[in-house]
Amino acid sequence: MEETQVKKNEDGKKVEDEVVRLRRQISLLPAVSFIIGTVVGSGIFIAPKGVLMNSGSVGLSLMVWALCGVLSLFGALCYAELGTSFTKSGGHYLYLLETLGPLPAFLRLWAEFFFIRPAVTSYVALAFGRYVVEPFFAPCVAPTVLIKLVSILGVTFVVAVNCWSVTLASRTQVTLTFIKMFALVLIIIPGVIALAKGQTTNFENGFEVDSLTLDRLPLAFYNGLYAYGGWFYLNYVTEEIINPNRNIPLAIIMSMVTVTVFYVLVNVAYYTMMTPAELLLSDAVAVTFANRALQGLASVIPILVALSCLGALNGGCFGSPRMLFVGAREGHWPPIFSMIHIRRHTPLPAVLLQEKYTSSSTLPPSPDGSSSPWQPWGCSFIGIASPNI
């Protein structure tokens, strides 16, 4: 329900004035989808090569994947406690503000805007563009400019969705999450069938001590933890979650356990159908697997991976601008970015600013060598109001 303020008009009669605020519209299923959809991006389709290369054996690489899931779950549970202790949105920024004071929070906020979020979004957006474009040019090299333009279209789509309404962003995330989980199931089933038929050659010498190099093992965990990154995004939107004391811990536990189980099974499927040498030679493990095990559906895998990247983009676009929104509300960012659209109930200025700056880093250079400016659409701030919280 809308919060209301009781005021008196000129005749002394009481009237109700609606307060512009972010509504609690995110239930348990969208909350789980936001975590899974943000965590499962391009990492599971790229990182297995790095984990195997630095762990040295099939068995140890599977242990690394499982342990990375456990470590991520522990970190996520800590954030679940923080999310139920601090009822405001903002994630990292808010927790630094409440514990260490305004200076670390201020620095974290600006680092998020200028460095962290643009790098993450650009990486995932370019992966989206590459998986969309390259199948049309195989076996030739796809034009870099076209990949970047498709990446910008992907970012523009998620910006438009998140500007339109929280409900549409939630439904989009749920849909994309089910699609990416279907992609993982599509990889797991052939591997499990082959394993049940006795195709266990690659697991016979799973723990080869001779190939173990302890100095490179941290790099294996680094690659694995990269694929699990994103479990903290739900805490960016605490004020918009229905019954956060119940739904935040449940969503985190359900999503991280699900992701860990799926990641381990996907890697088991990879090793069932591909030798370690073949996996290390592959630049796109999922595509190589599809060509081997899903010959009739090999062309579908790049599309599913692209949609997986789009889901990660949507989750990041939904969560990260809330940090700017809260920072502006606390006085660490220009006040206009603490404003909310009076009908859409979305932090429209914060969403547009964050993603406009991010998208400019993926643009091809202009003829004079400078970065081209990009603006998704002409924006008028008519219809935006400052929240009364």
Side-chain angles (χ1 to χ4, degrees), residues 106-120:
F106 175 84
L107 295 174
R108 181 61 177 80
L109 178 67
W110 284 78
E112 174 78 16
F113 175 74
F114 281 109
F115 303 109
I116 299 172
R117 189 63 209 165
V120 173

Side-chain angles (χ1 to χ4, degrees), residues 2-337:
E2 281 291 322
E3 287 189 357
T4 59
Q5 286 184 332
V6 178
K7 296 183 178 180
K8 291 184 179 181
N9 59 13
E10 295 178 354
D11 300 331
K13 295 181 180 179
K14 292 183 178 180
V15 294
E16 290 185 343
D17 181 33
E18 291 186 350
V19 175
V20 179
R21 56 186 289 273
L22 296 176
R23 298 175 175 178
R24 293 191 181 275
Q25 302 181 64
I26 303 175
S27 58
L28 181 59
L29 178 60
V32 172
S33 298
F34 273 116
I35 298 177
I36 294 179
T38 307
V39 171
V40 183
S42 60
I44 186 58
F45 308 106
I46 298 173
K49 179 178 179 179
V51 174
L52 177 61
M53 182 187 302
N54 293 291
S55 61
S57 66
V58 171
L60 188 57
S61 69
L62 291 176
M63 287 186 60
V64 168
W65 279 105
L67 289 174
C68 286
V70 173
L71 290 173
S72 299
L73 176 61
F74 288 162
L77 288 174
C78 293
Y79 257 58
E81 183 176 3
L82 289 171
T84 55
S85 301
F86 300 99
T87 57
K88 294 181 180 179
S89 298
H92 309 323
Y93 165 79
L94 179 72
Y95 305 145
L96 288 173
L97 181 66
E98 296 289 344
T99 56
L100 300 179
L103 180 58
F106 175 84
L107 295 174
R108 181 61 177 80
L109 178 67
W110 284 78
E112 174 78 16
F113 175 74
F114 281 109
F115 303 109
I116 299 172
R117 189 63 209 165
V120 173
T121 301
S122 298
Y123 181 85
V124 178
L126 289 171
F128 166 77
R130 184 172 293 108
Y131 275 101
V132 170
V133 172
E134 284 187 347
F136 294 99
F137 290 87
C140 301
V141 178
T144 304
V145 173
L146 183 58
I147 291 175
K148 291 185 177 182
L149 290 176
V150 173
S151 302
I152 292 171
L153 288 177
V155 174
T156 303
F157 170 75
V158 298
V159 169
V161 166
N162 282 273
C163 287
W164 189 258
S165 73
V166 173
T167 301
L168 181 60
S170 299
R171 291 174 179 174
T172 301
Q173 189 69 11
V174 171
T175 303
L176 292 173
T177 299
F178 275 104
I179 291 174
K180 68 177 60 183
M181 298 309 288
F182 171 73
L184 296 182
V185 170
L186 205 60
I187 294 173
I188 291 171
I189 289 177
V192 172
I193 292 174
L195 197 63
K197 291 181 179 179
Q199 192 170 333
T200 59
T201 305
N202 296 329
F203 298 98
E204 291 177 355
N205 296 316
F207 293 92
E208 298 177 357
V209 181
D210 296 337
S211 59
L212 176 62
T213 53
L214 294 179
D215 59 329
R216 298 177 64 181
L217 193 59
L219 293 175
F221 277 93
Y222 179 83
N223 281 273
L225 290 172
Y226 160 74
Y228 283 97
W231 41 261
F232 47 80
Y233 275 102
L234 190 63
N235 291 58
Y236 286 11
V237 296
T238 304
E239 296 174 19
E240 299 170 71
I241 300 174
I242 299 171
N243 191 6
N245 288 336
R246 170 184 177 272
N247 286 335
I248 289 179
L250 274 179
I252 286 175
I253 293 172
M254 292 170 62
S255 59
M256 293 310 299
V257 170
T258 301
V259 169
T260 302
V261 172
F262 270 73
Y263 275 13
V264 172
L265 290 177
V266 165
N267 279 274
V268 169
Y270 286 156
Y271 292 130
T272 302
M273 305 300 296
M274 303 166 60
T275 64
E278 290 173 335
L279 192 145
L280 291 175
L281 290 173
S282 174
D283 292 326
V285 179
V287 176
T288 304
F289 176 88
N291 292 331
R292 176 72 59 84
L294 301 167
Q295 295 180 1
L297 298 173
S299 60
V300 178
I301 294 298
I303 298 174
L304 295 177
V305 176
L307 291 175
S308 177
C309 295
L310 194 64
L313 279 176
N314 186 65
C317 183
F318 184 83
S320 187
R322 266 63 176 180
M323 181 185 290
L324 301 184
F325 167 79
V326 175
R329 198 172 62 188
E330 298 291 338
H332 289 165
W333 200 258
I336 191 172
F337 299 108

